[in-house]
Amino acid sequence: MESRSALLRYAWLSIAAALVTIALKGAAWWMTASVGLLSDALESFVNLAAAAFTLYALALAARPPDEEHAYGYSKAEYFASGFEGTLILVAAGLITAAAIERLLHPRGLEHVGAGLAVNAVAAAVNLVVARILLAAGRAHRSIALEADAHHLMTDVWTSVGVVLAVGAVAVTQWNWLDPLIALAVAGNIVF
């Protein structure tokens, strides 16, 4: 039972990290008006929903066997993993819609340096939490925690790419590149 209790604490850590990164990435988008940074922030909402579903699946999996489930509820973790994949597809659709809108109605970026710094802090939070979750998932043999960790690592790499690309938009003033970055984020998270 201690093992399941530890898994739930890790799931709460993932939820806390998602809330922090949503706030940071939302602030970065608000500061810059970059649809590339918006795409990164939207993906963090997927992290939050996935972390919450992981918490639910881990709590369900901790239930002891009963008359209807003679082998227990441990397979509930697999549903969390599948749910996370579905959420990624939804986020990619929302990002694509925002990017197309920006392609049709281009707009310059504002306060890029500060926005990118804030987004980099959010990426660092995700990196630390992903490494913690991956180690815990492996130690406790939890596919749900491992899936959540891999999802967060995808978010870290996406954030790094977005920071570099939005920085390039600021330097070159090629505003059309911003929505292309968002479309690349959508493709990356689906991949």
Side-chain angles (χ1 to χ4, degrees):
M1 194 53 118
E2 175 56 33
S3 176
R4 284 291 160 186
S5 178
L7 291 178
L8 294 177
R9 284 193 300 271
Y10 287 115
W12 278 110
L13 172 63
S14 184
I15 289 170
L19 291 170
V20 168
T21 58
I22 286 169
L24 290 170
K25 290 179 180 186
W29 164 68
W30 183 77
M31 291 163 52
T32 64
S34 165
V35 74
L37 290 173
L38 172 63
S39 69
D40 206 15
L42 285 175
E43 210 274 330
S44 291
F45 278 100
V46 173
N47 292 351
L48 176 60
F53 196 81
T54 297
L55 176 66
Y56 170 74
L58 289 171
L60 184 62
R63 287 179 162 176
D66 57 27
E67 287 182 21
E68 290 183 34
H69 302 91
Y71 297 103
Y73 293 83
S74 63
K75 299 296 182 203
E77 288 194 48
Y78 290 99
F79 289 106
S81 181
F83 181 71
E84 198 156 343
T86 302
L87 290 175
I88 289 169
L89 294 176
V90 170
L94 292 172
I95 293 166
T96 299
I100 290 171
E101 171 66 23
R102 184 57 61 89
L103 273 171
L104 296 174
H105 307 287
R107 170 177 175 188
L109 304 182
E110 305 163 8
H111 311 291
V112 176
L116 294 182
V118 169
N119 213 64
V121 170
V125 168
N126 277 340
L127 176 63
V128 169
V129 172
R131 293 179 60 85
I132 291 169
L133 293 179
L134 188 58
R138 289 179 177 159
H140 295 281
R141 295 179 162 211
S142 170
I143 189 173
L145 280 184
E146 284 192 48
D148 203 20
H150 287 296
H151 183 170
L152 285 179
M153 280 308 298
T154 299
D155 191 49
V156 169
W157 289 113
T158 300
S159 295
V160 168
V162 167
V163 165
L164 293 173
V166 172
V169 171
V171 169
T172 64
Q173 296 298 308
W174 296 343
N175 293 327
W176 53 266
L177 186 56
D178 185 40
L180 293 181
I181 293 163
L183 289 172
V185 169
N188 181 55
I189 65 173
V190 168
F191 176 74

